Amino acid sequence: MSLVMKFGGSSVADAARLAQVGELVTAAMPRRPLVVLSATGKTTNALVAAAEAAEAGRTEEALGLSAQVRRAHEAIAHELLGGVSPELESAFDALFGDLDSLLRAVAILAELSPRSRDAILSTGERLSTRLLSDHLGVPLLDARQLVHTDSRHGAARPDTEAIARSVQRRAVPALEEAGAAVTQGFIGSDAHGTTTTLGRGGSDYSASLLGAALGAEEVQIWTDVEGLLTCDPRVVPAAHSVPEVSAAEAAELAAFGANVLHPATIAPAMEAGAMVTVRHTQRPEGDFTTIRPGEVGTQSATAIAARGPVTLLNITSPRMLEHAGFMQRLFDVFGRHGVVVGLISTAEVSVSVTVEGEVDLDAVVREIGGFATVEVARDRVIVAVVGDRLRATRGLAARVFASLAPVANIEMISQGSNEINLSVVIRADERDDALRALHAGLFEGDQPTV
Ligand code: ASP
Ligand code: MG
């Protein structure tokens, strides 16, 4: 039995939060957790600012930010550990000595290489993990000896086989002996041992990679929301957390900008058969979401989301039918103008597509106008109902359309080819009412069971 527990920046922002993290880890000790931490609060942002100030030649400002980061961590140490021990003091001296040398070097060269930037940013996670491991009295494992990557600084790619070997050699014995261990998210090292990072927000990815390497049954992502919600709660106050979603559903929702883990992030855990749970650090007994590799759930619809603005193009050509190369010609125009097409729906003599963002379509419309009639409708949004079992749920589409009828006019319908997404295009000003009506129709009150 093993477990990865990852805590994000807001979960480790101050001494009180770190103490709470300590309690959660202690309670999980029977499952031998490997604890993966982000940097505290806004520390990574402060380090980015320091690096950029140094590059711009503002050395004093850069060193001032470094000193500020040090004071913040010393303050946490006083509150969490009752003071800064001589060992911790010399650990801080070493870390900030390196950081300040790096910042000075960047300032002298007036150049911030991705490699220097990674070294600077790694300070945040190295500090937060040091504080928690001191607090818990469990080993601190340097992620640079576990998470092996290539040398693409700022967006390094993992070497999963090398990670598996190091995790078995270094992490497993530590977990067996001490019952828990702490390591850094976000950072790794390349074949030369040089510090790399997985990209901003990369700690989730670290947790997933380490979970896969450990063969963990669960990767817990502790954050400040109770998992995935049925809809954006700022628009729909009645939104509630979804108990279980599949990896495919999570990916679909992420594409709609829902506050979900990025699909690439959880892929290693999913492929290794581990479940990923998303939990609220300050409400550990509250609701949470489990993301599972396979198809899950009994709910017909899992969540709803909206994306936009998009522009809807209705292209009509009476000769589309006989014209073998029509679609090719059409998409050739989009391709040449770098226009990204979202949804597509076709009929006998017309095709409708959505185009993301506020792009200039004049040239595109003119060119298509040469062989078809184009109608352009701006300020539209895509509203999607996502669920693994949509297709198998009789009456679902009827419920979607009945819910929307009083508040929005549906201008296009598309059922994603993966069959877990039913999308409609409506006017942007109808979006919020549409989401509320749809949420009420699908998730509130008594729902007919199918
Ligand atoms: N500390 C890093 C960041 O802020 C990584 C993370 O928090 O996931 O981007
Ligand atoms: Mg994050």
Side-chain angles (χ1 to χ4, degrees):
M1 213 160 50
S2 72
L3 172 67
V4 169
M5 303 176 85
K6 180 260 168 178
F7 295 90
S10 66
S11 301
V12 295
D14 54 35
R17 303 275 169 92
L18 276 163
Q20 208 172 354
V21 166
E23 281 171 33
L24 290 167
V25 171
T26 306
M29 289 276 242
R31 295 172 71 188
R32 308 219 172 292
L34 176 59
V35 181
V36 178
L37 291 196
S38 289
T40 62
K42 301 267 180 288
T43 297
T44 309
N45 289 348
L47 293 166
V48 170
E52 287 171 359
E55 184 184 27
R58 301 192 306 271
T59 316
E60 290 313 309
E61 182 186 329
L63 295 176
L65 283 161
S66 161
Q68 219 172 296
V69 170
R70 179 166 185 159
R71 280 196 300 276
H73 286 82
E74 282 170 350
I76 294 178
H78 278 287
E79 210 180 317
L80 186 71
L81 310 170
V84 180
S85 66
E87 297 77 43
L88 187 57
E89 183 83 43
S90 53
F92 279 171
D93 284 345
L95 271 167
F96 286 98
D98 287 351
L99 176 61
D100 291 351
S101 305
L102 277 162
L103 292 171
R104 283 202 185 87
V106 167
I108 289 167
L109 296 170
E111 189 200 345
L112 178 61
S113 70
R115 177 180 160 147
S116 308
R117 191 185 147 99
D118 277 354
I120 290 168
L121 298 198
S122 74
T123 312
E125 272 70 10
R126 289 159 67 200
L127 285 164
S128 63
T129 48
R130 173 72 203 223
L131 292 174
L132 186 72
S133 78
D134 277 14
H135 172 60
L136 285 171
V138 301
L140 172 57
L141 305 175
D142 191 328
R144 292 169 296 180
Q145 296 182 348
L146 297 175
V147 180
H148 306 287
T149 71
D150 66 11
S151 304
R152 288 165 43 115
H153 288 280
R157 295 197 203 126
D159 176 346
T160 48
E161 279 166 28
I163 295 172
R165 279 195 299 274
S166 288
V167 163
Q168 292 308 321
R169 196 168 62 237
R170 297 176 198 274
V172 170
L175 291 172
E176 252 149 45
E177 207 182 301
V182 178
T183 193
Q184 299 89 10
F186 180 52
I187 71 176
S189 72
D190 69 6
H192 312 289
T194 306
T195 302
T196 56
T197 68
L198 302 173
R200 293 300 306 268
S203 296
D204 296 331
Y205 196 23
S206 302
S208 171
L209 288 163
L210 292 166
L214 266 180
E217 56 183 351
E218 182 181 357
V219 176
Q220 298 179 339
I221 305 290
W222 291 89
T223 174
D224 51 11
V225 288
E226 289 183 319
L228 271 64
L229 302 183
T230 46
C231 191
D232 182 345
R234 288 167 303 185
V235 180
V236 182
H240 52 83
S241 72
V242 184
E244 284 198 335
V245 306
S246 67
E249 289 172 326
E252 197 68 34
L253 289 167
F256 274 83
N259 187 14
V260 195
L261 300 167
H262 192 277
T265 292
I266 58 169
M270 292 290 120
E271 281 158 24
M275 59 183 173
V276 174
T277 56
V278 183
R279 300 163 185 264
H280 196 315
T281 308
Q282 290 178 288
R283 288 180 221 144
E285 308 295 330
D287 293 333
F288 63 95
T289 298
T290 303
I291 308 173
R292 289 185 197 280
E295 188 177 302
V296 296
T298 49
Q299 71 267 21
S300 49
T302 297
I304 56 178
R307 180 169 79 197
V310 300
T311 300
L312 178 62
L313 297 181
N314 291 313
I315 299 136
T316 315
S317 166
R319 295 196 319 275
M320 186 174 141
L321 254 193
E322 308 105 78
H323 227 94
F326 183 83
M327 287 293 185
Q328 188 184 352
R329 202 165 163 193
L330 183 59
F331 280 87
D332 178 55
V333 178
F334 291 137
R336 268 187 289 106
H337 290 273
V339 170
V340 179
V341 171
L343 303 180
I344 306 168
S345 162
T346 61
E348 293 290 319
V349 296
S350 70
V351 45
S352 301
V353 302
T354 60
V355 174
E356 305 275 327
E358 319 263 12
V359 286
D360 183 9
L361 290 170
D362 289 353
V364 173
V365 168
R366 222 175 305 122
E367 234 187 281
I368 299 173
F371 59 91
T373 311
V374 196
E375 218 183 84
V376 181
R378 294 184 191 281
D379 293 320
R380 292 332 195 235
V381 292
I382 301 173
V383 170
V385 181
V386 171
D388 274 339
R389 299 178 66 254
L390 288 186
R391 196 181 50 127
T393 308
R394 263 186 218 217
L396 195 272
R399 237 187 307 148
V400 169
F401 300 139
S403 305
L404 288 174
V407 292
N409 181 41
I410 297 170
E411 296 179 296
M412 177 177 170
I413 301 168
S414 162
Q415 175 145 11
S417 52
N418 56 5
E419 293 172 333
I420 70 168
N421 167 346
L422 177 65
S423 291
V424 298
V425 176
I426 60 172
R427 287 212 322 261
D429 61 6
E430 296 169 335
R431 187 192 81 150
D432 290 359
D433 285 337
L435 287 172
R436 284 188 281 265
L438 206 46
H439 196 273
L442 295 176
F443 301 115
E444 297 164 40
D446 286 341
Q447 299 308 328
T449 38
V450 187

